[in-house]
C-alpha cells in the first residue's frame, strides 16, 4: 500500500542495498550507478541482487519490500 510518505533506504554511509520482495510486481529503482530502471514481474519471495539507493512509489507495484545491507 502506498503511504504517501517518502523514504530513504540508506543513511548515506552505505553504497546502497539489495532488496527482498515480499509481494510480486514491478520494481522501479535508482541503482548505485545512478540509473533509473523498471524491472518487470519480480516474484514474491525474491532477493533482488541489484545495489539500489531508491525505490520509487510511482512505477513500483511490488510490495512488502525490505532493504538489506
Amino acid at each position: 500500500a502506498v503511504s504517501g510518505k517518502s523514504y530513504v533506504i540508506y543513511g548515506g554511509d552505505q553504497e546502497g542495498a539489495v532488496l527482498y520482495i515480499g509481494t510480486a510486481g514491478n520494481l522501479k529503482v535508482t541503482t548505485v550507478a545512478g540509473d533509473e530502471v523498471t524491472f518487470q514481474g519480480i516474484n514474491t519471495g525474491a532477493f533482488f541482487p541489484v545495489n539500489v539507493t531508491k525505490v520509487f512509489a510511482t512505477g513500483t507495484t511490488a510490495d512488502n519490500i525490505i532493504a538489506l545491507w
Side-chain angles (χ1 to χ4, degrees), residues 9-10 13-18 31-32 50-54 67-69:
I9 63 168
Y10 70 105
D13 55 346
Q14 296 90 2
E15 290 289 322
V18 296
T31 68
V32 293
V50 175
N51 234 357
V52 303
T53 57
K54 180 177 181 179
L68 304 166
W69 286 272

Side-chain angles (χ1 to χ4, degrees), residues 9-65:
I9 63 168
Y10 70 105
D13 55 346
Q14 296 90 2
E15 290 289 322
V18 296
L19 305 175
Y20 171 81
I21 309 303
T23 305
N26 299 336
L27 185 64
K28 182 177 180 182
V29 299
T30 300
T31 68
V32 293
D35 299 315
E36 286 185 14
V37 182
T38 301
F39 294 88
Q40 303 291 318
I42 307 297
N43 291 327
T44 295
F47 285 93
F48 186 71
V50 175
N51 234 357
V52 303
T53 57
K54 180 177 181 179
V55 175
F56 290 83
T58 302
T60 296
T61 58
D63 203 359
N64 299 310
I65 301 167

